[in-house]
Amino acid sequence: LDRSQAVFEAAQRRIPGGVNSPVRAYKSVGGTPVHIASGKGALVRDLDGNEYVDLVCSYGPLILGHAPPDVNAAVAAALEKGTTFGAPTEGELSLAEEICSRVGVAEQVRLVNSGTEATMSALRLARAATEREAFLKFNGCYHGHGDSFLVKAGSGALTHGDPDSPGVPRALAALTWVTEYNDIDETRALFERSGDRIACVFVEPIAGNMGTVLPEPGFLEGLRELCDRHGALLIFDEVMTGFRVARGGYAELSAVQPDLVTLGKVIGGGMPIGAYAGRADLMSQVSPAGPVYQAGTLSGNPIAVAAGLATLRKLDAAAYVRLERSGKRLDEGLARIAKARGIPLATGRQGSMLCPYFSNRPVRHFDDVVASDRATWTRFFRAMLEGGVMLPPSPFEAWFLSTAHDDAIIDRVLAAAERAFESL
Ligand code: KE4
């Protein structure tokens, strides 16, 4: 990793931690972060020429794999006409129509440039629409780095939030309330105490930022019922699950429908993008149709829109059949190998997003994730990297597959896992 090492050392002088997003710095697993030179399909190559099967897939966007020909062609064609105009274009309408045709609750969409912008904006809209200031999120869920979201469960009686980062004003953090994911009783108690103050509930319908934790039966249903009873909005943060777990996102798989949904990652096909969408009576309150201000220089830019449209248009029913086949093959293969070696492994999976935990109990809450054997996980991460498979460098990150991860690629991952488990 000589070249990665050299670039990383120089980068740390010019970029905080040498990276532009913290997880990439390998803090959880130690060692030099592998710097990537190129990617194609399911494979990436580092600066020193080493090849890996990529299970990071940029933390979700690359559902068609690296440099898919149709997406690259669409971007190249768009580039010929310029990159951004600061004026409306037809492509933005096409992408909005495409999103609304797939996401049941979406009657209107506003495009932004990241998941963080999408959740920040949706929160502002929810606060405006309900004229309430407090909102609820869940321990272990991540909704981007907006101030109101960098809050951990508070010590206060009302579970008032405490800042999870310096620089987040305490007065703001106090308006973020935090309860346990999959614990509808604690959430119901909070609503009964203060439901009239809650503007909205933000939830990852599948928690993809503490690995992959599925909602227990009754959890999302309970949130819907509590929001309806107390006049709060239910917001599904589908930045990660949107168009990942089904053609219409998680909401297609569930009887529970949110009032607003936030999107990102897949809808940009690898280019910077985010979106928030929902019923017209809510979205029509957003500027300039309504008073809730939100803006962005590159929002809806033709390049991201071209990449997103090309991606969504490839995601037909057959694509999701392939994604499920690959996810199932990997999940079952890992379970078989771990069982043969007597190593406790619990895996959360939905389609092509999954996370194995070294745990002898099912992972239902954040504390189950924290209790899993992260030292063994780190040794596993290292052994897999040695074996030519690049996992996300943190036990709290979901693994992602793409339509380019075919049976041969999955079997190559399982062969590396066989050797990695032997070394544990
Ligand atoms: P971005 O601002 O990173 O585009 O999106 C924030 C976000 C919002 N909501 C959910 C459910 C998300 O998963 C994310 C971003 N996910 C992380 C992965 N854990 C991005 C990776 C990173 O931070 O580098």
Side-chain angles (χ1 to χ4, degrees), residues 1-335:
L1 292 182
D2 300 348
R3 292 279 304 129
S4 285
Q5 178 83 40
V7 171
F8 188 51
E9 271 164 24
Q12 289 177 85
R13 286 194 292 275
R14 289 286 178 242
I15 305 169
V19 293
N20 284 304
S21 198
V23 69
R24 305 176 191 168
Y26 277 32
K27 289 278 186 230
S28 297
V29 293
T32 298
V34 176
H35 287 48
I36 304 297
S38 65
K40 186 67 184 153
L43 303 176
V44 290
R45 195 170 291 282
D46 71 15
L47 294 185
D48 294 282
N50 303 304
E51 184 181 80
Y52 308 85
V53 174
D54 180 23
L55 298 189
V56 181
C57 292
S58 186
Y59 297 95
L62 301 178
I63 198 164
L64 301 179
H66 290 272
D70 295 323
V71 176
N72 280 26
V75 169
L79 279 174
E80 290 303 304
K81 301 178 200 159
T83 52
T84 175
F85 308 112
T89 63
E90 198 171 356
E92 294 159 83
L93 172 58
S94 304
L95 184 53
E97 296 281 13
E98 190 72 38
I99 291 168
C100 291
S101 72
R102 292 165 182 244
V103 180
V105 71
E107 292 176 336
Q108 289 193 354
V109 186
R110 169 55 62 84
L111 297 177
V112 293
N113 299 287
S114 70
T116 292
E117 270 192 82
T119 56
M120 273 169 51
S121 309
L123 176 57
R124 184 177 308 136
L125 173 57
R127 283 171 159 159
T130 59
E131 297 182 320
R132 299 174 180 181
E133 294 190 346
F135 84 102
L136 178 61
K137 73 174 285 290
F138 297 95
N139 205 5
C141 287
Y142 174 69
H143 304 289
H145 65 87
D147 279 345
S148 287
F149 297 101
L150 294 183
V151 174
K152 60 182 183 292
S155 48
L158 261 182
T159 70
H160 276 286
D162 292 331
D164 205 6
S165 162
V168 174
R170 299 194 63 77
L172 186 62
L175 292 171
T176 303
W177 299 348
V178 183
T179 56
E180 280 308 310
Y181 191 81
N182 272 332
D183 186 339
I184 196 64
D185 295 335
E186 185 191 12
T187 304
R188 178 173 293 109
L190 176 60
F191 262 97
E192 276 156 12
R193 257 197 321 258
S194 309
D196 58 345
R197 293 185 53 201
I198 299 176
C200 62
V201 173
F202 259 89
V203 65
E204 289 182 63
I206 293 172
N209 286 284
M210 46 174 154
T212 300
V213 176
L214 301 182
E216 296 282 295
F219 178 57
L220 297 176
E221 295 79 357
L223 295 182
R224 180 70 272 171
E225 186 256 329
L226 286 167
C227 285
D228 290 342
R229 181 178 312 161
H230 294 275
L233 297 178
L234 180 57
I235 302 179
F236 275 3
D237 181 353
E238 291 222 55
V239 166
M240 192 181 272
T241 55
F243 310 111
R244 160 65 57 181
V245 298
R247 196 169 174 282
Y250 181 81
E252 178 185 303
L253 304 175
S254 165
V256 178
Q257 292 303 299
D259 298 298
L260 290 172
V261 61
T262 51
L263 297 163
K265 295 180 193 272
V266 168
I267 65 168
M271 298 301 288
I273 201 163
Y276 58 110
R279 295 196 317 265
D281 66 289
L282 289 171
M283 294 302 292
S284 59
Q285 297 182 43
V286 176
S287 172
V292 182
Y293 196 70
Q294 183 264 306
T297 302
L298 290 171
S299 295
N301 74 79
I303 309 305
V305 165
L309 274 171
T311 299
L312 292 185
R313 286 169 176 159
K314 296 290 284 183
L315 290 174
D316 56 10
Y320 290 99
V321 169
R322 290 176 63 181
L323 291 163
E324 169 55 26
R325 175 189 170 89
S326 299
K328 187 171 164 52
R329 191 181 185 94
L330 180 55
D331 186 355
E332 290 179 348
L334 290 171

